[in-house]
Amino acid sequence: MTLTYEQKCFQWASNQFLYEEIPDEYFEWSEDTQHEHLERYAWEPISHHYGYKIASYIDNLAEHIIQKIYPQEQ
């Protein structure tokens, strides 16, 4: 499976909220399975959050990377 740039950004961002990066196959899973995975591997401070909320955190960070909304070195 070849990931799109957006999927690669989501995968990279997942590492900021989970104990391990999501696998490539994540994008082929059902939404329920994806959310279960996120809940299972969530970093302790957000481990009580529902999968859809964790997905939104990851998606938000990934979108910042895609849109290049981050501090630039001067």
Side-chain angles (χ1 to χ4, degrees):
M1 169 182 192
T2 302
L3 299 181
T4 65
Y5 175 67
E6 290 78 9
Q7 289 171 327
K8 288 178 184 179
C9 288
F10 188 92
Q11 187 177 51
W12 173 85
S14 74
N15 217 17
Q16 311 307 308
F17 299 94
L18 307 177
Y19 284 110
E20 62 182 53
E21 188 176 87
I22 58 171
D24 291 354
E25 298 78 27
Y26 173 89
F27 301 100
E28 298 174 347
W29 299 343
S30 71
E31 191 172 283
D32 286 341
T33 303
Q34 289 175 341
H35 291 171
E36 288 173 13
H37 181 84
L38 297 178
E39 291 170 9
R40 186 176 314 119
Y41 291 98
W43 188 46
E44 197 277 324
I46 61 168
S47 63
H48 62 285
H49 294 206
Y50 291 113
Y52 76 90
K53 193 65 175 167
I54 299 168
S56 72
Y57 300 149
I58 296 169
D59 192 52
N60 189 324
L61 179 56
E63 190 61 30
H64 277 77
I65 297 303
I66 292 166
Q67 298 298 322
K68 300 189 181 352
I69 303 170
Y70 47 82
Q72 298 289 320
E73 185 176 0
Q74 296 185 9

